[in-house]
Amino acid sequence: MKILVINGPNLNMLGIREPGIYGNQSYAALCESIRSYAAQNDLEVELYQSNHEGDLVDQIQAAYGVFDGIVINPGAYTHTSIALLDAVKAVGLPTVEVHISDVSAREDFRRVSYIRQACVKTICGHGFAGYTEALAFLKEQKT
Ligand code: CA2
């Protein structure tokens, strides 16, 4: 099973500031934990990060016919992007929305998620473990 893991804007800055919200581990450490989980659970993963909305749309579109599912943390585009919602709808791949922090317990604007209506599951506030939980969910769903 092949899963594309996408991270949106500023997630490449993890560990640099706001450790109280996002922890003190880096984006490289996040990638390593995802790769290690995938290797131990017979999953193929590809990781992609971009700060640009159109690049994220391109990557979701390119997943069509190539990947079996998507794990996405759209970062701040969660709260603004109809384009990402439409891209996930267009490819029709099972997609899990992940947030490191509990967006429901922060500012009001973080409670809005456009992409959520196209996702099979949302995981919030579980830190880096949310990504591996999302992989496990997609694997379980396929069998
Ligand atoms: O909790 C999450 O995973 C978020 O998707 C992270 C986004 C935020 O805009 C969403 O509301 C929730 C932010 C990405 C990382 O931002 C950083 C800020 C300071 C230092 C390092 C990363």
Side-chain angles (χ1 to χ4, degrees):
M1 184 176 190
K2 285 183 72 170
I3 299 174
L4 175 62
V5 181
I6 299 176
N7 278 288
N10 296 310
L11 285 150
N12 56 318
M13 301 294 279
L14 284 172
I16 293 173
R17 287 188 57 233
E18 303 203 79
I21 299 174
Y22 302 116
N24 52 19
Q25 288 191 283
S26 66
Y27 176 69
L30 172 63
C31 293
E32 181 44 41
S33 75
I34 293 169
R35 286 204 180 93
S36 152
Y37 181 89
Q40 288 164 35
N41 288 277
D42 196 26
L43 292 167
E44 264 183 73
V45 284
E46 191 171 305
L47 288 104
Y48 180 78
Q49 190 276 329
S50 175
N51 296 322
H52 305 281
E53 187 175 14
D55 289 345
L56 296 168
V57 170
D58 287 345
Q59 203 65 29
I60 293 167
Q61 288 184 5
Y64 181 74
V66 177
F67 289 92
D68 302 300
I70 297 172
V71 173
I72 185 165
N73 182 345
Y77 289 137
T78 306
H79 320 301
T80 62
S81 180
I82 298 166
L84 290 182
L85 165 65
D86 287 345
V88 171
K89 281 186 174 171
V91 296
L93 291 168
T95 298
V96 180
E97 174 191 12
V98 172
H99 297 286
I100 295 167
S101 65
D102 181 2
V103 284
S104 68
R106 297 179 62 192
E107 301 96 326
D108 283 351
F109 61 82
R110 293 190 205 271
R111 290 170 189 254
V112 176
S113 168
Y114 285 95
I115 206 168
R116 191 159 302 166
Q117 64 170 271
C119 293
V120 291
K121 190 175 174 69
T122 296
I123 300 170
C124 295
H126 295 189
F128 285 10
Y131 292 84
T132 51
E133 288 168 25
L135 294 179
F137 177 84
L138 288 172
K139 187 177 178 185
E140 177 67 28
Q141 239 207 356
K142 210 190 174 196
T143 52

